[in-house]
Amino acid sequence: MYENVIQKFEDVINVNDAFNSFIFNFALKSIEESKSNLKFLIGVPGSGKSFLVNYYASKYPDTIILQGTISSKEELNEFLYDDKLIIIDEAQLLDLKMIEYIRILTDTKKYSFLLSMHTKDAKELLSKEHFKSRNIDVIELKPITKEEMIQYINSKLIQNNAHHIFTKKEFNIIYNYTQGNFRYIKKFVKTLFELLNFAAKNNLSKYKKINSCLITMSAIKLGLENG
C-alpha cells in the first residue's frame, strides 16, 4: 500500500532530493563562490554532505568526485586537472600523508580540492599548525530547520497524494527526534511508512494512520528513543 512512499525515502544519494533549503543553498553558493584552492565542507554524519557534493557535481559535470578510500599519490595523480574541482567525499578516511600531499598540491595554485568530512575530524585537522596559516575556506552544513523538514517531506508525499498525513504536532515530534539531520529524517519517515504498511497488510486497525505510538516505535527502531 505504501511501497511507493517508502521508496521515496530510501537512504540513497539522489540529486532529485534537492529542495528549496536555505541551509543547502547557502552551502552550495559558498562552494560556488569560494576563491580558495582548498575548501572543506564539514558537518555531522547524516547532515547531507554527500548529497550536496553530488548535487554540485550534477550542476558542474567537469567536477571530479573521489572517495576518502583513495590511498596513494599515484592513484590521486591520475585525476589531477588544473581546471577542475576535485571533491573527496568522506575525506576523514584519508591518512595524514595524503592530506598533506593535497595541501602541497593546492599550494601550487594549480589544483583545487574540496574535502568533505565530519566536523570533529575537520576541526582537529585544521587546528594543526601547517593549516592555520593557509587560505582555506570552511563551509559548514548545518541541520535543516523544522520548516525545511516539513517542506522536504511534503514534497515527497505529494507525489503519492499523501501530503496531508502528518499533523503539525507529529511534525514537531519527528523534528525533535531527528534534530534536522537529513539522513535521520529520511530514515524516520521511511520507518514510519514501513510500520503503516505492515499494519495495513495485517489489518491492524489501531495503526491505520500515523499516531504517537507509531512515531515512538520508529524512534526506538532507529535508536533515537530508549523505549
Side-chain angles (χ1 to χ4, degrees):
M1 184 177 180
Y2 292 105
E3 286 85 355
N4 289 339
V5 177
I6 291 169
Q7 190 176 19
K8 295 289 183 183
F9 294 94
E10 291 284 354
D11 187 22
V12 295
I13 297 171
N14 182 354
V15 295
N16 293 322
D17 272 343
F19 64 106
N20 189 26
S21 160
F22 173 81
I23 302 297
F24 281 120
N25 291 342
F26 181 80
L28 178 66
K29 187 176 181 181
S30 298
I31 296 172
E32 292 172 333
E33 295 182 350
S34 172
K35 303 300 182 184
S36 174
N37 288 76
L38 181 56
K39 296 173 272 290
F40 282 78
L41 175 65
I42 68 174
V44 300
S47 57
K49 298 183 298 298
S50 293
F51 164 75
L52 183 60
V53 297
N54 278 273
Y55 182 74
Y56 179 92
S58 73
K59 285 190 67 178
Y60 303 96
D62 284 344
T63 305
I64 297 170
I65 296 185
L66 305 174
Q67 295 299 310
T69 51
I70 195 164
S71 59
S72 69
K73 296 178 182 179
E74 292 74 21
E75 187 178 359
L76 181 59
N77 288 344
E78 295 179 12
F79 300 97
L80 292 181
Y81 297 91
D82 56 12
D83 58 342
K84 297 181 180 181
L85 176 63
I86 301 170
I87 296 175
I88 301 185
D89 197 15
E90 302 293 347
Q92 71 275 359
L93 300 177
L94 293 168
D95 64 34
L96 289 177
K97 288 183 179 179
M98 284 297 296
I99 292 176
E100 177 63 8
Y101 181 55
I102 290 168
R103 184 188 66 78
I104 292 170
L105 288 171
T106 58
D107 279 350
T108 68
K109 307 298 182 184
K110 290 180 62 179
Y111 306 110
S112 294
F113 281 82
L114 170 66
L115 304 185
S116 175
M117 63 168 60
H118 297 165
T119 300
K120 181 180 178 181
D121 298 283
K123 288 184 175 180
E124 183 179 335
L125 177 67
L126 292 170
S127 68
K128 296 183 183 300
E129 196 62 36
H130 51 281
F131 277 101
K132 287 182 178 179
S133 60
R134 295 301 188 279
N135 177 27
I136 296 171
D137 281 349
V138 180
I139 301 153
E140 185 172 7
L141 191 56
K142 297 182 178 180
I144 64 174
T145 66
K146 181 174 65 178
E147 291 72 22
E148 290 174 333
M149 180 199 75
I150 294 171
Q151 178 194 351
Y152 169 69
I153 293 173
N154 280 335
S155 72
K156 296 298 178 184
L157 295 181
I158 200 170
Q159 298 170 24
N160 290 274
N161 199 31
H163 54 293
H164 299 301
I165 201 165
F166 290 107
T167 65
K168 182 178 180 180
K169 180 180 179 181
E170 289 160 353
F171 273 131
N172 287 340
I173 297 171
I174 292 170
Y175 190 79
N176 286 338
Y177 275 123
T178 60
Q179 293 295 299
N181 185 286
F182 193 50
R183 182 183 298 152
Y184 282 159
I185 290 166
K186 293 174 72 172
K187 285 186 173 184
F188 205 106
V189 178
K190 177 176 179 285
T191 301
L192 264 175
F193 278 98
E194 286 173 341
L195 292 173
L196 273 179
N197 206 43
F198 178 84
K201 288 182 176 180
N202 291 275
N203 297 315
L204 303 176
S205 57
K206 182 180 177 181
Y207 305 109
K208 65 181 180 181
K209 63 178 184 178
I210 300 292
N211 56 38
S212 59
C213 183
L214 284 176
I215 291 175
T216 302
M217 289 167 64
S218 298
I220 292 172
K221 186 173 182 181
L222 293 173
L224 302 175
E225 173 69 63
N226 293 327

